[in-house]
């Protein structure tokens, strides 16, 4: 007997399929329930937030008032935080993607002394949690006087080892050595070859690294919490957590709970939007037909 | 147009020595083909000439100028790659003009050259297409067009036809031959296909193990291979090589013997005979005896594979359909005297008068 896959009618297949579907359903629920909670909670009044069932809407639809509260509380500082988060994330992601592209390209296409060791370091860096680096980073930033500046958040975020790893693999796959050689024979320099011949082939990889770095920077909490100290520099994550802390202390009154929930909802919308926009860059296959048949 | 001189070229990757000392002069307008089996260093040698690899030792001269340390663009060569290596995001026109734009040629000159090449290669209808929308043969022509517009001092081809199907390969082979006649440019061409080598080359360079085995005109290599490697590499089906030993004026091969074709004092270890140098005769009347194992009838020719005791399987080429030959038939084989090649214990050719 050769190897034969299960047909869709075999009991074996049905059992496996049901099991798999069940596991995925559990995972789906696990992922979506908190999100759904945020959505419902942000439409409630403070009283309803604690007085009604958490996973369904209350009778009174209070979302607009919550939004008004969110953007007016403490003179509208939330807009400022949102702007900060956007600025930090965008610059970090663009920078991280460019560095990852250059490093990954070099690892994939050039031979140089110490390549294996350096790449091992990159892989090692993937394993180190960012959180572990926050204290040493704080000390370094303090020495060079960058504490409580945007650079304190952006500079460390430019280093994105998983991106380097991804780009190396992607460049290996998407760019043939012969295209680079052809560019060299045509007289183009290495950067010129990258920018005008191979970059567009790498767009899907670049977009992936960009979005990963963007989300990582958008969600970054601990680093900005430690290195930033004034409210006008905070990103949304740190700002909301401080509001939340003050709400639980009771100093700002219960009002803040719904504001924090609404703030959480507003802060995840741009990320979802970014994913949708970047999706069109994921289409691969650009290099089809360039090499071989 | 250019004369390219290689002197003492070596190339090693770490401890692996790919090219072990190559000296070669490629004349102006010559069509030179590097052939050799996989790993013989033929592609590496081409890449060294192109400047895509750095030499470990030796010097490369183009028209007397030492270009060993110059980059690929400064050598003013063009290269056609095995995979075509077209720029996938650029149109055919942009593919062809890219190198000229890098060189900052005036727009009018770029257009003139690209249009001329497009006309010569019948690519005008495809100028705004991307490579993905072209057939294999069209892509190959774009790659050649991209090489032509640079007006290089010499063309380098790295197995340019190996990705094409058999019929197209013959067409493109003819086109490349015409291109050479028209441009009269120096061309260096790498292939492992010895039919391409025999049909296109003015001069063939046979490489093995990073060393040049023989340089010569195609027929010269066919008729007077300097060693067993060349003897067996050039020619299809390949030359039969038989262990042999001298007995007076006879050469003993297996249980048979042939007369010594010419006087020589050197010890004979092998004789070579091409498939067309063997004549089928009745059993008992040949120099050696064998049994027909496989018969391939191609119409114009017939190849018979004959098992000869002590010697192995010999290939015989018979013109026509060889109706008289049947499987398992015992036959005699005569070796045509003028077609026997003698080789010494090191596998070197023994020439008449040696």
């Amino acid at each position: 007997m050769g190897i034969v896959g299960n047909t869709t009618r075999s009991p074996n297949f049905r059992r496996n399929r049901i099991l798999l579907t069940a596991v995925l359903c559990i995972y789906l629920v696990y992922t979506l329930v908190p999100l759904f909670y945020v959505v419902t909670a942000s439409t409630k009044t403070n009283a309803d937030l604690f007085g009604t069932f958490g996973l369904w809407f209350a009778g009174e639809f209070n979302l607009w008032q919550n939004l008004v509260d969110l953007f007016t509380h403490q003179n509208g500082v939330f807009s400022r935080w949102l702007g900060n988060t956007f600025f930090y994330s965008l610059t970090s992601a663009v920078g991280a993607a460019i560095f990852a592209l250059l490093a990954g390209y070099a690892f994939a296409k050039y031979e140089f002394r110490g390549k294996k060791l350096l790449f091992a370091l990159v892989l090692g860096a993937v394993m180190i949690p960012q959180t572990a680096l926050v204290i040493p980073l704080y000390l370094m930033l303090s020495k060079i006087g960058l504490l409580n500046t945007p650079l304190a958040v952006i500079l460390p975020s430019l280093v994105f080892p998983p991106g380097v790893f991804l780009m190396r693999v992607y460049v290996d796959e998407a760019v043939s050595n012969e295209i680079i050689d052809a560019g060299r024979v045509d007289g183009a320099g290495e950067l010129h070859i990258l920018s005008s011949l191979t970059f567009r082939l790498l767009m899907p990889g670049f977009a992936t690294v960009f979005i990963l770095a963007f989300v990582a920077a958008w969600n970054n909490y601990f680093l900005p919490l430690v290195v930033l100290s004034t409210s006008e520099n905070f990103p949304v994550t740190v700002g909301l957590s401080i509001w939340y802390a003050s709400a639980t202390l009771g100093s700002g009154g219960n009002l803040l709970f719904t504001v924090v929930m609404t703030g959480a909802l507003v802060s995840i919308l741009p990320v979802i939007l970014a994913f949708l926009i970047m999706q069109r860059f994921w289409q691969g296959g650009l290099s089809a037909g360039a090499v071989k048949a | 147009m250019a004369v390219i001189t290689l002197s003492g070229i070596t190339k090693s990757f770490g401890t692996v020595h790919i090219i072990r000392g190559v000296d070669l002069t490629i004349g102006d307008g010559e069509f030179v083909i590097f052939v050799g089996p996989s790993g013989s260093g033929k592609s590496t040698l081409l890449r060294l000439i192109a400047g895509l690899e750095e030499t470990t030792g030796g010097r490369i001269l183009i028209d007397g100028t030492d270009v060993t340390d110059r980059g690929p663009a400064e050598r003013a060569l063009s290269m056609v790659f095995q995979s075509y290596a077209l720029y996938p995001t650029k149109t055919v026109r942009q593919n062809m003009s890219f190198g000229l734009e890098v060189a900052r040629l005036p727009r009018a000159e770029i257009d003139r050259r690209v249009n001329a090449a497009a006309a010569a290669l019948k690519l005008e209808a495809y100028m705004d297409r991307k490579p993905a929308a072209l057939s294999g043969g069209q892509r190959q022509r774009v790659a050649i067009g991209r090489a032509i517009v640079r007006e290089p001092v010499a063309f380098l081809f790295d197995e340019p036809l190996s990705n094409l199907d058999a019929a197209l390969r013959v067409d493109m082979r003819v086109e490349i031959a015409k291109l050479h006649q028209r441009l009269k440019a120096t061309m260096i061409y790498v292939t492992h296909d010895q039919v391409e080598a025999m049909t296109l080359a003015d001069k063939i360079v046979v490489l093995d193990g990073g060393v040049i085995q023989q340089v010569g005109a195609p027929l010269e290599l066919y008729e007077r291979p300097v060693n067993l490697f060349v003897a067996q590499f050039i020619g299809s089906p390949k030359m039969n090589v038989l262990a042999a030993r001298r007995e007076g004026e006879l050469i003993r091969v297996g249980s048979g013997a042939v007369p010594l074709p010419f006087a020589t004092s050197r010890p004979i270890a092998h004789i070579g005979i091409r498939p067309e140098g063997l004549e089928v005769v009745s059993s008992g009347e040949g120099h050696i005896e064998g049994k027909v194992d496989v018969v391939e009838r191609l119409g114009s020719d017939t190849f018979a594979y004959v098992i000869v005791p002590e010697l192995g399987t010999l290939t015989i080429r018979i013109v026509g359909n060889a109706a008289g030959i049947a499987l398992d038939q015992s036959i005699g084989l005569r070796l045509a005297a003028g077609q026997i090649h003698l080789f010494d214990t090191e596998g070197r050719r023994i020439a008449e008068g040696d």
Side-chain angles (χ1 to χ4, degrees), chain B residues 7-242:
Chain B
S7 72
I9 298 294
T10 58
K11 174 67 182 174
S12 308
F13 293 100
T15 56
V16 186
H17 305 294
I18 305 291
I19 304 289
R20 299 156 179 269
V22 164
D23 294 283
L24 182 68
T25 300
I26 294 155
D28 187 15
E30 241 179 350
F31 199 132
V32 174
I33 295 197
F34 296 169
V35 287
S38 303
S40 60
K42 57 189 188 300
S43 280
T44 305
L45 196 56
L46 192 75
R47 291 173 58 80
L48 288 168
I49 296 172
L52 294 169
E53 301 279 355
E54 285 178 37
T55 55
T56 306
R59 300 196 312 140
I60 299 170
L61 283 74
I62 297 178
D63 280 336
T65 312
D66 189 337
V67 298
T68 316
D69 298 322
R70 293 200 187 163
E74 297 170 84
R75 300 187 185 192
L77 305 167
S78 278
M79 186 154 171
V80 176
F81 294 87
Q82 181 174 8
S83 66
Y84 322 135
L86 301 181
Y87 309 132
T89 56
K90 295 188 180 295
T91 63
V92 169
R93 176 176 296 280
Q94 290 165 337
N95 260 282
M96 286 162 67
S97 61
F98 180 74
L100 306 179
E101 281 157 9
V102 171
R104 297 182 194 284
L105 259 61
R107 191 73 243 174
E109 174 67 7
I110 294 176
D111 288 341
R112 187 189 67 74
R113 290 195 194 181
V114 170
N115 291 336
L121 292 162
K122 301 187 191 70
L123 283 169
E124 287 130 318
Y126 313 108
M127 295 306 275
D128 295 320
R129 291 207 197 162
K130 298 264 175 79
L134 300 177
S135 71
Q138 288 163 349
R139 288 176 200 170
Q140 181 65 73
R141 289 214 296 276
V142 175
I144 292 173
R146 188 172 65 181
I148 292 174
V149 294
R150 288 168 49 76
E151 298 183 356
V153 297
F155 288 85
L156 310 178
F157 294 90
D158 189 6
E159 307 211 22
L161 306 184
S162 59
N163 283 331
L164 299 175
D165 62 52
L168 206 50
R169 200 176 303 166
V170 175
D171 292 347
M172 287 308 298
R173 202 170 73 204
V174 173
E175 277 198 44
I176 290 175
K178 281 188 197 158
L179 185 73
H180 182 238
Q181 286 165 14
R182 187 160 59 84
L183 298 177
K184 299 185 171 50
T186 308
M187 292 189 174
I188 307 175
Y189 186 112
V190 166
T191 182
H192 59 263
D193 179 348
Q194 50 105 6
V195 176
E196 276 171 35
M198 295 296 286
T199 52
L200 286 173
D202 294 323
K203 188 158 94 180
I204 295 179
V205 177
V206 182
L207 283 153
D208 185 44
V211 177
I212 291 181
Q213 302 292 322
Q214 189 170 4
V215 178
L219 285 179
E220 184 186 335
L221 265 59
Y222 189 80
E223 286 161 4
R224 288 185 297 281
V226 296
N227 58 30
L228 279 174
F229 178 82
V230 178
Q232 293 207 282
F233 194 79
I234 301 288
S236 174
K238 64 183 189 179
M239 183 188 279
N240 297 294
V241 172
L242 315 174

Side-chain angles (χ1 to χ4, degrees), chain A residues 167 170-171 173-176 179 194 197-206 281 283-288 290-291, chain B residues 86-90:
Chain A
M167 280 316 291
Y170 199 82
V171 172
E173 280 291 308
V175 177
S176 83
I179 287 182
L194 175 59
L197 298 181
T198 53
F199 179 66
R200 278 190 53 198
L201 304 175
L202 298 172
M203 220 25 221
F206 187 81
F281 294 111
Q283 48 185 321
L286 262 179
S287 83
V291 173
Chain B
L86 301 181
Y87 309 132
T89 56
K90 295 188 180 295

Side-chain angles (χ1 to χ4, degrees), chain B residues 283-297:
Chain B
S283 182
E285 289 175 14
H287 295 125
I288 49 180
E289 298 287 313
K291 199 172 186 182
V292 178
D293 188 30
V294 177
V295 180
E296 294 175 337
R297 292 194 165 84

Side-chain angles (χ1 to χ4, degrees), chain A residues 93 96-97 100-101 160 162-164 166-167 204-214:
Chain A
L101 170 72
F160 191 54
V164 176
L166 266 174
M167 280 316 291
F206 187 81
T208 307
V209 172
F210 174 86
I211 197 83
L212 289 176
F214 186 85

